[in-house]
Amino acid sequence: MSLVMYLPFCSCFQSNFFGAGDPMERSDVDLRAIEAAVKSILLAVGEDPDRPGLVDTPRRVARMYREMFAGLRLDPARHLRITFPEEYDEIVLVRDIAFTSMCEHHLLPFSGVAHVAYIPHERVTGLSKLARVVDEVARRPQVQERMTGQVADLIEQELESLGVAVVVDAEHSCMGIRGVRKPGSRTITSALRGVFKTNASSRAEVMMLINRK
């Protein structure tokens, strides 16, 4: 039985996750253009953007979009360039990394958790770095399938890992509140690299750890 390092993503990682000088707040986003667009949408649907309840809505939406799409202006790979030499060649798994992304088809959010595992090759990275990668890849117009693959590719390329497994489990509001209207439906995607893709026993082991209750 292989050894495994497993930690859920908990509040100890979330403290000071962004902090002062937050890159989510520093951007060249054209807030005024977003505000004008939101005002136009409110007019188009028959609302009065100048009534008291809506007068500040364009500003709020602009700031929200700046935050939700901050990943477009960040390089998540930078987190994985901080590594430490370590003779550890078994599974490292960080499970239940909460995220929210924006579906690029309807600009509605999808939220869930990502499970990220890798087998180091001579060097490891900080556990919180894996969570930061998930967060920044999520903060851009996305589809879940692409997001899953992007996280796996970044870890494989930057850490030169022997194996990478990423499983994302999310609920999409574009399915829950419009169209087919099936709230509670969940979408699960996976991306496997290295030995997790080529070796059946390694794949079975990491999936068992990911699915452990």
Side-chain angles (χ1 to χ4, degrees):
M1 174 66 70
S2 296
L3 299 175
V4 62
M5 180 184 294
Y6 154 64
L7 283 173
F9 185 63
C10 61
S11 59
C12 60
F13 293 145
Q14 293 175 327
S15 61
N16 297 320
F17 195 77
F18 293 119
D22 183 348
M24 301 294 178
E25 293 296 326
R26 300 195 310 267
S27 73
D28 56 357
V29 172
D30 191 340
L31 296 178
R32 290 189 178 180
I34 298 174
E35 290 177 23
V38 172
K39 198 167 186 178
S40 294
I41 290 171
L42 290 171
L43 286 167
V45 300
E47 261 291 1
D48 175 10
D50 293 321
R51 71 175 175 85
L54 291 175
V55 69
D56 288 328
T57 295
R59 178 181 59 82
R60 295 189 191 101
V61 173
R63 291 174 62 86
M64 181 268 292
Y65 277 175
R66 178 176 64 182
E67 180 180 347
M68 290 299 299
F69 297 140
L72 290 169
R73 302 173 298 281
L74 299 172
D75 176 18
R78 74 192 187 284
H79 300 299
L80 300 173
R81 294 172 190 144
I82 302 172
T83 61
F84 313 94
E86 190 65 50
E87 293 300 321
Y88 184 86
D89 60 358
E90 303 292 345
I91 297 172
V92 178
L93 167 63
V94 180
R95 210 173 70 173
D96 301 320
I97 303 171
F99 74 90
T100 296
S101 189
M102 195 76 84
C103 173
E104 66 182 33
H105 297 149
H106 296 96
L107 292 186
L108 286 171
F110 63 97
S111 300
V113 294
H115 314 296
V116 178
Y118 76 105
I119 299 178
H121 177 58
E122 299 180 351
R123 301 185 70 81
V124 299
T125 192
L127 299 174
S128 68
K129 306 306 182 188
L130 301 175
R132 290 179 186 275
V133 168
V134 170
D135 192 80
E136 291 183 11
V137 171
R139 288 178 183 270
R140 57 188 68 179
Q142 274 289 14
V143 296
Q144 185 174 328
E145 298 89 339
R146 182 171 67 234
M147 172 184 161
T148 308
Q150 286 177 338
V151 173
D153 289 340
L154 281 166
I155 296 169
E156 181 183 43
Q157 293 163 11
E158 295 297 329
L159 299 183
E160 298 181 340
S161 308
L162 300 176
V164 180
V166 178
V167 176
V168 176
D169 180 345
E171 183 172 355
H172 292 246
S173 56
C174 58
M175 281 189 62
I177 65 174
R178 57 154 302 281
V180 70
R181 294 184 184 174
K182 298 299 180 188
S185 299
R186 304 197 68 83
T187 300
I188 299 175
T189 50
S190 67
L192 304 175
R193 305 289 186 266
V195 297
F196 291 136
K197 190 176 185 71
T198 61
N199 185 283
S201 61
S202 295
R203 181 166 62 251
E205 181 183 7
V206 76
M207 289 305 177
M208 179 271 292
L209 292 166
I210 287 171
N211 292 318
R212 177 182 288 177
K213 300 300 183 183

